[in-house]
Amino acid sequence: MSASTRRMSPQQMCRAIRDDIVRGTFLPGQRLTEEGLAERYGVSRVPVRESLRTLEAEGFVLSRPHVGTYVAELSDDEAADLLEIRALLEPLGAARAALRRTPEQLGRLKELTSLGLEAVADGRLDEVTRLNSRFHEVLAEASGSTTLRHLITQLSQKIAWVYAVELPRRAHDSWHEHEQICAALEAGDPERARRVVADHIAQATSAYRRRSRD
């Protein structure tokens, strides 16, 4: 290993490549090579190889025998499917979080909302995507359900991909909806929390569908 080669776990490597796909650094259809990725991130090819396998299983890249590995394209049908599944899971999680969240979790959600609004105002959309994913992960953690948290976390990266597409249209409204979610949790009102999260996801779905028609 050369002095310039960084030590990154396959998980860290996977996250770095995934983040670059989500933010559009790597475009749909773009070929990804182990050598090129290793040079970009300053790592050996071993974690790159393992990461590409994981990302293929997650649907972020596609591999073709004798051709190579390419960035996948998030289809409108897949995006709609992800949002529909999310619409079933997250309102349930929010209702439970209204009853089970800790003061620390509520504080973290409020902090993320403030950071998100600042990032929107500054036009830092890459940061908005990351903060949005984290907000929904903490919301899932606050449900107190390990199963629900794992399911929502598994969806979160793909959902971030959807948000990256429709984000410029909805960034401002989305974070004000996060404020309403925090208020429902602070009030300890499970039905209100369920309703505002369901409305939040419905707005995101509607924005994505409008984008598809543009």
Side-chain angles (χ1 to χ4, degrees):
M1 179 179 293
S2 68
S4 61
T5 301
R6 299 166 58 194
R7 292 184 180 274
M8 294 179 70
S9 70
Q11 292 79 14
Q12 291 172 317
M13 186 75 259
C14 190
R15 187 180 306 114
I17 300 172
R18 189 194 295 115
D19 286 349
D20 275 342
I21 292 173
V22 168
R23 68 171 58 101
T25 302
F26 300 133
L27 299 175
Q30 183 174 342
R31 189 174 181 217
L32 302 176
T33 66
E34 292 180 10
E35 182 179 3
L37 292 172
E39 181 177 352
R40 172 180 173 82
Y41 300 109
V43 299
S44 71
R45 294 173 63 169
V46 175
V48 170
R49 187 176 306 121
E50 295 182 36
S51 298
L52 289 177
R53 292 196 197 102
T54 299
L55 291 169
E56 183 173 17
E58 293 177 351
F60 284 94
V61 303
L62 298 172
S63 293
R64 298 273 188 266
H66 312 298
V67 177
T69 301
Y70 294 83
V71 178
E73 181 174 3
L74 181 68
S75 71
D76 290 342
D77 286 345
E78 184 179 7
D81 195 38
L82 287 165
L83 290 169
E84 185 175 358
I85 294 170
R86 180 182 174 218
L88 295 173
L89 293 177
E90 286 206 34
L92 172 62
R96 292 186 177 184
L99 299 174
R100 301 177 180 178
R101 55 82 182 167
T102 66
E104 291 77 17
Q105 287 166 335
L106 178 60
R108 182 60 177 146
L109 289 168
K110 288 182 175 182
E111 179 186 20
L112 287 165
T113 299
S114 295
L115 292 172
L117 286 167
E118 290 174 6
V120 170
D122 294 342
R124 291 180 280 114
L125 296 186
D126 285 352
E127 184 72 2
V128 173
T129 301
R130 184 188 67 78
L131 291 168
N132 182 77
S133 294
R134 186 59 188 148
F135 180 93
H136 287 278
E137 289 170 2
V138 174
L139 181 60
E141 292 168 8
S143 73
S145 168
T146 301
T147 300
L148 196 57
R149 177 173 61 82
H150 284 163
L151 288 170
I152 292 173
T153 300
Q154 287 172 7
L155 287 172
S156 67
Q157 294 300 334
K158 278 291 189 73
I159 293 295
W161 209 3
V162 177
Y163 265 91
V165 174
E166 59 87 31
L167 183 62
R169 188 193 297 270
R170 274 215 9 103
H172 185 270
D173 290 344
S174 178
W175 283 97
H176 282 296
E177 290 159 15
H178 286 178
E179 288 183 314
Q180 297 173 22
I181 294 169
C182 289
L185 265 58
E186 188 166 24
D189 188 335
E191 288 310 311
R192 179 181 167 192
R194 185 193 301 271
R195 183 177 67 254
V196 295
V197 169
D199 288 346
H200 174 62
I201 297 169
Q203 291 297 326
T205 304
S206 177
Y208 191 89
R209 287 172 177 165
R210 288 199 304 272
R211 181 210 63 84
S212 300
R213 293 195 297 267
D214 288 348

